[in-house]
């Protein structure tokens, strides 16, 4: 968890030539790369890069993604005037994507505990 906190700032993003959405096949607006580490089966830390795309069709129900999408709708593109707002919303969105993954791990963990009868 500490490592994730340290790497929170290192988000790379692209707003041009972003890939098609893997979920619906439509064009995406942002591709973000962020550092991610996890524990492998032997209990070792494995560090890697994860990618997330912002898709107007699939992500508009996520509050953090919706705010970022709204910025694109309002301004059309990232301009020097709104880059600070964009950076903040981007960080919030990546954080929500990150937590989605963490929540899944937490869920799997709770499921295991439940199976063992610990919950
Ligand atoms: Zn999509």
């Amino acid at each position: 968890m500490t490592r994730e906190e340290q790497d929170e700032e290192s988000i790379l993003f692209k707003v041009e030539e972003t890939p098609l959405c893997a979920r619906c096949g439509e064009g995406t607006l942002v591709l973000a790369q962020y550092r991610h580490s996890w524990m492998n089966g032997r209990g070792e830390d494995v560090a890697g890069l994860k990618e997330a795309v912002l898709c107007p069709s699939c992500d508009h129900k996520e509050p953090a993604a919706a705010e970022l999408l709204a910025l694109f709708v309002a301004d059309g593109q990232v301009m020097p005037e709104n880059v600070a707002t964009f950076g903040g919303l981007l960080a919030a969105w990546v954080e929500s994507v990150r937590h989605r993954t963490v929540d899944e791990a937490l869920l799997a963990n709770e499921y295991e505990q439940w199976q063992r009868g610990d919950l």
Side-chain angles (χ1 to χ4, degrees), residues 21-26 28 55-59:
C21 175
R23 291 159 290 178
C24 70
E26 300 287 320
T28 57
C55 171
S57 314
C58 301
D59 294 325

Side-chain angles (χ1 to χ4, degrees), residues 1-63:
M1 202 51 86
T2 331
R3 178 175 299 199
E4 280 197 350
E5 279 165 17
Q6 282 171 357
D7 286 339
E8 227 165 82
E9 299 302 314
S10 52
I11 301 167
L12 301 169
F13 72 92
K14 250 171 80 165
V15 292
E16 280 162 7
E17 294 169 31
T18 54
L20 294 178
C21 175
R23 291 159 290 178
C24 70
E26 300 287 320
T28 57
L29 292 173
V30 183
L31 169 73
Q33 286 187 324
Y34 56 97
R35 285 184 191 282
H36 174 77
S37 66
W38 64 96
M39 204 88 91
N40 71 11
R42 293 196 296 270
E44 298 159 342
D45 265 348
V46 183
L49 271 183
K50 281 194 107 180
E51 286 187 349
V53 289
L54 182 69
C55 171
S57 314
C58 301
D59 294 325
H60 67 277
K61 287 184 190 128
E62 300 266 345

Side-chain angles (χ1 to χ4, degrees), residues 71 75 77-86:
L71 187 78
D75 296 334
Q77 57 182 315
V78 181
M79 305 284 276
E81 299 87 74
N82 63 21
V83 77
T85 317
F86 176 79

